[in-house]
Amino acid sequence: MKTGAPALSGARITYSLADPALAIQKTVLGPLVCATLPMLKVTEQLAGMLAFTPSAAVAPELLAAVTRTRVSLESWRAAAGDETTYEVTDSALTGSVSIELATSDPVAALRQDIFEPLLRRLADSLHHVEAITAVLVPAAHPADPAAVAHARNLAAVLEAVRELGSHLERYQPLTPRQDHGEGHAGIQRDTHPHHSATGAGGSGPWGVPSLRRAVETAVSSFPGHFTSRDVVGALPPGAYRDAGKSVSNALSAMVKAGRLLRVSRGTYTANPTSTGEAVPNS
């Protein structure tokens, strides 16, 4: 299953900054919602099927939250008059299933090779929706609701997306994940508070481990000197996109906290007694 639904290479949307909030909705939120809705619809269908399979642990509340989020996004599109069909290079809804698992435990194959990877891709896309609506909603002044166009619809989107995020964080199948073939890692919980998933803080309720926690785990596995590239290579495959800069930021934070020693520019050690000359924390 591929991540995201990128616009056709080179395609651009024109805008006017006469109304910045409206420009953001038109140029950023519009394509993002258009790319997210197909994933929501498929998730809604699959969750409805798996709701009848106890081992999948799809609670009615999760299914209802998916539906509310889809409806809120569709309501915003209708209010904004956003009927554009953005061209995409792929649907982001392709993947692979372990043949061994499909023939030995087809329900587990459906859950962990189809449903759970879809939830991770959906969570990633919804986090971006939350980031944009969280910028727009506070800008709507209570004394002047019309200051931001479609403010009420945006607030509904933000509330629904955050609610769904909490359900995705709590989702855990009743049967343990089986390790067959290369497959996809199952959804894991994150106990960190909610921060930006693209930063070093944590992914909060978005169903994937926080990047900071993943970096700390990777660092603890290195016996000597290592680079940020080594850390990126040790992260769970496919869990974080374009993580290089965020990993560097997380390592710098650990240096400033005294948990790592920067022995040269770009090279670190978790052992404070290691030889090497520390360089400024820049």
Side-chain angles (χ1 to χ4, degrees), residues 21-40:
L22 196 58
I24 291 172
Q25 293 183 61
K26 176 182 177 182
T27 61
V28 180
L29 189 58
L32 181 56
V33 168
C34 191
T36 302
L37 276 171
M39 282 186 281
L40 270 171

Side-chain angles (χ1 to χ4, degrees), residues 120-139:
R120 288 197 297 276
R121 274 53 177 187
L122 175 62
D124 180 66
S125 189
L126 288 177
H127 176 78
H128 296 315
V129 173
E130 182 194 10
I132 297 303
T133 51
V135 168
L136 294 168
V137 170

Side-chain angles (χ1 to χ4, degrees), residues 190-257:
D190 178 20
T191 57
H192 281 270
H194 178 55
H195 296 290
S196 171
T198 57
S203 61
W206 294 108
V208 294
S210 72
L211 180 58
R212 175 170 293 168
R213 176 178 293 177
V215 169
E216 292 172 349
T217 300
V219 165
S220 67
S221 68
F222 297 125
H225 295 177
F226 60 90
T227 67
S228 61
R229 180 173 295 182
D230 295 325
V231 176
V232 172
L235 296 178
Y240 309 95
R241 293 185 301 163
D242 303 323
K245 183 176 180 181
S246 296
V247 166
S248 295
N249 291 339
L251 292 174
S252 295
M254 293 179 72
V255 170
K256 293 178 180 178

